[in-house]
Amino acid sequence: MTAPVLPDALSEAARAFAGREHRLLIGGEHVPAADGRTFETLDPATAQPIADIPHAGPADVERAVAAAREAFENGPWRSIAAADRARLIGRLADAIDDHADELAELEALDNGKPVKLAKIVDVAQASRQLRHFAGWPERILGDVVPVHQPDILCYTRREPVGVCGQIIPWNFPLLMASWKIAPALAAGCTVVLKPAEQTPLTALRLGELALDAGIPAGVLNVITGDGETGAALVEHPGVDKIAFTGSTEVGREIGAKAGRALKRVTLELGGKSPNVILPDADLDAAIKGSFQAIYFNTGQACNAGSRLFVHRDQFDEVVGALAERAGRTRVGPGLDPGTQLGPVISAAQQARVRDYIETGRNEGAELVAGGAAREGSSGFFVEPTLFTATRDDLRVAREEIFGPVLVALPYDSIDELAARANDSDYGLAAGVWTRDLGQAHRLAALLKAGSVYVNCWGLGDPGAPFGGFKASGVGREHGQAGLDAYLETKTVWASLA
């Protein structure tokens, strides 16, 4: 490995963790990969290596699943009092709060996002997610079922599904880890967590904090690696449920494998979300909100508002205002406190985004703003980019880019909006900007999306279900729907005669 290059802006705590020798977390022990393989994780702001990470192979997956199975079958986790399980999950939330600055810096270093954003969104919401699900263990209840047979008792039990393999993406590493582990832990499941190979640091730190919080060894195991590692986890016969957030392409493969094995599966996948500004909207609010909808997290969000529909009479005004905002947005390293937009995650992602920009030009879309890399930088930067187009069938208007690229499209009649917005393989999110409450709710009913935002974008809560229609996923996360994905229902019949 090339010698790590850690930015001067890192605090002592973040520097100490990033610079240490990293190990897998299996059964409460920090261990190297069985075959000794490692890989580099890079700082996307500089393209320099920041840490050497163990590359888990099939033998490591076997060890991790065995540890999770042992903890599930013979450990105390599912048998302890529900109040004690809730208390330990709450202690993990406390630990995240206590290490908020360190975690935010590690996320900014490994992912590239602005450190202020990492702290107020990723870290704060990770803690909030765990606190929400800490309230669930004492509310997991069965029912007594009234039946017509005399002298028969029928009741149900809600039981944890078992060992869960959880694979998380690189765009919100710590937050997505909390989305996955919080309901699983609340249900009494045990977990093998695999972070994306681009962003392993906060998942490894989370595993340490879980042990420090008193969560028993083997309940949360963390293995690092690439798609090979994830595939071994999905295919392992000892895994009862798979939860995955990532691309639709990989999600289809995972869904097919889980289907053949009849494993429980939750998939939160891609999107090409439509955002509609109606003629009566508060334009200042709509412009500001639409800008954030696409450029938040450098466009690397599954629910990014990447298709913007604006009435033809207001189109030039809205596009001009968005272009002006894009032009003054400060692009830079995530650890720079003045940065508003960080790099994309990798050289491959940068190339993908720039290929789409070139495709948009070649297809006839008009490039209004951005489209270039950051001059004088070796990092993976892409300027906030804005296209206008008059055709919905352009690739930049139909395919998920996962970068800071917005396509603005004019419309003439409200009647055409729902059909155009829904003309997509995806259905994760949609937005409507209007002062007319009736129009807002009429469109909300017509739009085929798992989340519809009215005069806002991207709001969420640990208690509110999140997931997609069509190719945007299977199942829901958050709230009772998210918890139910980690529970089985057992029906018990007893004769009282």
Side-chain angles (χ1 to χ4, degrees):
M1 169 186 163
T2 307
V5 180
L6 298 177
D8 294 337
L10 278 182
S11 66
E12 183 178 343
R15 179 178 297 275
F17 180 79
R20 73 170 61 166
E21 181 181 5
H22 295 283
R23 301 288 185 93
L24 310 173
L25 176 61
I26 297 177
E29 298 182 356
H30 298 283
V31 296
D35 61 6
R37 286 190 301 164
T38 62
F39 63 93
E40 290 180 338
T41 185
L42 303 181
D43 178 353
T46 64
Q48 295 297 313
I50 53 178
D52 203 26
I53 305 295
H55 190 303
D60 303 299
V61 172
E62 181 66 38
R63 285 192 296 169
V65 173
R69 178 60 61 188
E70 175 66 20
F72 182 73
E73 300 291 352
N74 301 313
W77 188 242
R78 64 171 171 159
S79 60
I80 63 173
D84 291 333
R85 194 157 68 241
R87 177 178 54 83
L88 292 172
I89 297 171
R91 285 178 61 179
L92 178 54
D94 291 341
I96 289 174
D97 289 340
D98 292 343
H99 294 82
D101 290 335
E102 175 194 350
L103 290 166
E105 289 183 24
L106 291 172
E107 207 76 306
L109 172 66
D110 211 11
N111 169 275
K113 67 180 61 191
V115 66
K116 290 187 292 186
L117 176 69
K119 186 172 182 179
I120 65 175
V121 176
D122 301 61
V123 178
Q125 290 189 18
S127 169
R128 189 179 178 193
Q129 189 81 10
L130 286 158
R131 291 192 194 286
H132 172 85
F133 279 99
W136 271 107
E138 294 180 276
R139 293 167 176 80
I140 300 173
L141 305 172
D143 293 304
V144 175
V145 182
V147 294
H148 297 294
Q149 297 94 323
D151 299 323
I152 293 293
L153 170 65
C154 180
Y155 65 92
T156 61
R157 292 174 51 88
R158 305 303 306 281
E159 299 182 354
V161 70
V163 174
C164 302
Q166 301 183 321
I167 302 172
I168 57 173
W170 44 256
N171 56 339
F172 295 94
L174 179 66
L175 181 57
M176 292 297 101
S178 74
W179 280 27
K180 296 291 184 287
I181 71 168
L185 297 180
C189 297
T190 58
V191 171
V192 179
L193 179 70
K194 194 208 87 73
E197 63 266 32
Q198 297 87 348
T199 52
L201 292 181
T202 50
L204 291 169
R205 188 70 176 107
L206 180 65
E208 293 185 353
L209 294 177
L211 288 177
D212 293 343
I215 292 175
V219 171
L220 176 59
N221 306 275
V222 183
I223 57 173
T224 49
D226 58 9
E228 168 195 313
T229 310
L233 183 60
V234 170
E235 294 166 4
H236 196 288
V239 174
D240 301 301
K241 175 185 167 61
I242 294 294
F244 170 78
T245 295
S247 72
T248 294
E249 179 184 7
V250 175
R252 290 185 196 277
E253 296 178 13
I254 290 174
K257 291 177 180 178
R260 285 193 294 272
L262 296 179
K263 290 184 182 183
R264 306 296 181 261
V265 65
T266 304
L267 303 171
E268 196 266 284
L269 308 177
K272 190 69 176 179
S273 299
N275 187 19
V276 176
I277 300 178
L278 295 185
D280 71 324
D282 177 339
L283 279 190
D284 288 341
I287 290 165
K288 180 179 179 181
S290 298
F291 188 89
Q292 289 298 318
I294 178 60
Y295 299 119
F296 171 72
N297 208 47
T298 316
Q300 299 171 123
C302 53
N303 62 345
S306 52
R307 290 186 293 151
L308 180 63
F309 293 93
V310 185
H311 193 275
R312 196 174 299 276
D313 291 345
Q314 298 163 315
F315 190 77
D316 290 345
E317 178 182 357
V318 170
V319 168
L322 289 169
E324 190 274 331
R325 278 180 174 267
R328 56 184 168 87
T329 296
R330 295 190 296 274
V331 178
L335 288 167
D336 182 338
T339 290
Q340 294 173 301
L341 209 69
V344 296
I345 190 64
S346 65
Q349 189 65 18
Q350 183 189 47
R352 172 187 169 88
V353 174
R354 297 190 70 178
D355 282 350
Y356 269 107
I357 292 170
E358 188 62 28
T359 296
R361 287 172 166 151
N362 293 338
E363 288 184 326
E366 181 182 355
L367 182 63
V368 178
R374 182 171 179 250
E375 291 186 6
S377 172
S378 58
F380 311 130
F381 294 96
V382 180
E383 293 177 344
T385 299
L386 173 60
F387 281 108
T388 61
T390 56
R391 290 167 42 205
D392 296 349
D393 62 345
L394 301 184
R395 286 184 61 200
V396 290
R398 295 196 64 81
E399 299 177 11
E400 184 178 43
I401 299 172
F402 223 67
V405 181
L406 175 62
V407 180
L409 301 142
Y411 69 89
D412 295 301
S413 168
I414 293 176
D415 295 334
E416 71 189 73
L417 279 175
R420 290 179 66 188
N422 290 333
D423 184 18
S424 172
D425 293 336
Y426 300 104
L428 190 59
V432 181
W433 299 85
T434 179
R435 290 186 173 95
D436 186 330
L437 194 60
Q439 287 279 35
H441 291 298
R442 183 170 77 90
L443 275 173
L446 292 172
L447 292 168
K448 296 178 180 178
S451 296
V452 178
Y453 308 114
V454 177
N455 295 328
C456 60
W457 192 275
L459 297 185
D461 186 272
F466 181 83
F469 291 13
K470 300 186 283 188
S472 289
V474 175
R476 293 293 182 271
E477 298 190 283
H478 304 343
Q480 184 162 357
L483 181 73
D484 286 345
Y486 292 91
L487 293 168
E488 297 281 18
T489 299
K490 178 185 290 181
T491 304
V492 180
W493 296 85
S495 172
L496 303 179

